[in-house]
Amino acid sequence: QSALTQPPSVSGSPGQSVTISCIGSSSDVGNYNRVSWYQQPPGTAPKLMIYDVSYRPSGVPDRFSGSKSGNTASLTISGLQAEDEADYYCSSYTSSSTMMFGGGTKLTVL
Amino acid sequence: QVQLQESGPGLVKPSGTLSLTCTVSGDSISSSHWWGWIRQPPGKGLEWVGYIHYSGSTYYNPSLMSRVTMSIDTSKNQFSLRVTSVSALDTAVYYCARNYGGNSYYDFWGQGTLVTVSS
């Protein structure tokens, strides 16, 4: 199974909004609302930020939002803050009953 | 609060077997959730390895399926990973994590443990 496709890097200035895309196929993202997003600062374990496409776990700021259209899921971070700088990964359930991750996107806050 | 802790050798010889254990606290490993392993080679992205349910059901990454085995010990509230015939490509930080309800998201993660394959 190939990884979900994410842009290697995105950047934005404090206060701006950025969107990270996650492109899959009809065998994963397009057919299941089981897309999640994880934030990983350097040297730390991933942290769940969005689950089931658009739901936020308790404690995650509402600046983080998720959506999906067809085979593409997206994570939007509005009101960018310096503390948001990290690697971000999407994940999806697949038709083979497995899970898969995207290649990761490095977010730089300018 | 659910906590997971990986344990096992940090160094494995090429062609040997990598063995890790994850100890769960704050939740029963016999619950409805699934328990998984995710790995991350140095400087690279996350790779899904597989997950297991207390019933014994397992699903593995197709690219690793021939070398991976997961098991569960309900008496110790632990689950384990074995990877055989390892090479340098298996060098990675290995995370254990809880998959909420199965086919879903990972809501609790261990801190990760680095396993290096080298002679």
Side-chain angles (χ1 to χ4, degrees):
Chain A
Q1 56 185 24
S2 302
L4 303 171
T5 301
Q6 297 182 233
S9 64
V10 297
S11 63
S13 300
Q16 289 185 331
S17 294
V18 294
T19 296
I20 300 172
S21 60
C22 172
I23 303 172
S25 71
S26 57
S27 296
D28 38 71
V29 174
N31 202 32
Y32 302 97
N33 287 329
R34 296 298 198 186
V35 176
S36 50
W37 289 89
Y38 302 86
Q39 176 192 65
Q40 187 182 35
T44 69
K47 173 188 175 184
L48 178 67
M49 304 301 284
I50 295 288
Y51 67 94
D52 292 353
V53 175
S54 60
Y55 292 88
R56 277 188 312 277
S58 174
V60 173
D62 59 6
R63 303 184 294 103
F64 291 84
S65 62
S67 62
K68 189 185 84 167
S69 177
N71 296 338
T72 301
S74 299
L75 172 71
T76 298
I77 309 171
S78 58
L80 209 56
Q81 299 182 3
E83 66 200 49
D84 300 331
E85 188 161 290
D87 293 329
Y88 290 83
Y89 295 90
C90 62
S91 176
S92 176
Y93 178 69
T94 82
S95 59
S96 301
S97 300
T98 61
M99 307 286 295
M100 63 193 306
F101 286 95
T105 299
K106 180 178 179 61
L107 169 62
T108 301
V109 181
L110 303 170
Chain B
Q1 180 75 341
V2 179
Q3 293 184 315
L4 298 95
Q5 178 68 57
E6 305 89 352
S7 60
L11 182 64
V12 181
K13 291 188 182 332
S15 77
T17 297
L18 179 160
S19 296
L20 295 174
T21 295
C22 182
T23 301
V24 179
S25 59
D27 188 15
S28 169
I29 207 161
S30 301
S31 66
S32 60
H33 307 303
W34 288 59
W35 305 92
W37 293 93
I38 299 101
R39 70 181 187 178
Q40 186 171 34
K44 297 190 176 182
L46 301 173
E47 180 180 29
W48 186 77
V49 177
Y51 53 10
I52 184 169
H53 187 255
Y54 82 92
S55 64
S57 294
T58 55
Y59 290 97
Y60 301 137
N61 186 322
S63 68
L64 300 170
M65 189 178 297
S66 63
R67 300 191 295 123
V68 167
T69 303
M70 294 182 186
S71 59
I72 206 158
D73 187 337
T74 55
S75 67
K76 295 182 179 179
N77 224 39
Q78 294 176 333
F79 62 104
S80 298
L81 170 71
R82 278 173 46 97
V83 183
T84 60
S85 304
V86 297
S87 71
L89 294 176
D90 295 305
T91 293
V93 174
Y94 285 76
Y95 296 99
C96 60
R98 188 181 83 167
N99 188 285
Y100 188 88
N103 70 33
S104 185
Y105 51 90
Y106 290 95
D107 54 355
F108 292 99
W109 295 65
Q111 63 184 22
T113 187
L114 174 63
V115 178
T116 301
V117 178
S118 175
S119 56

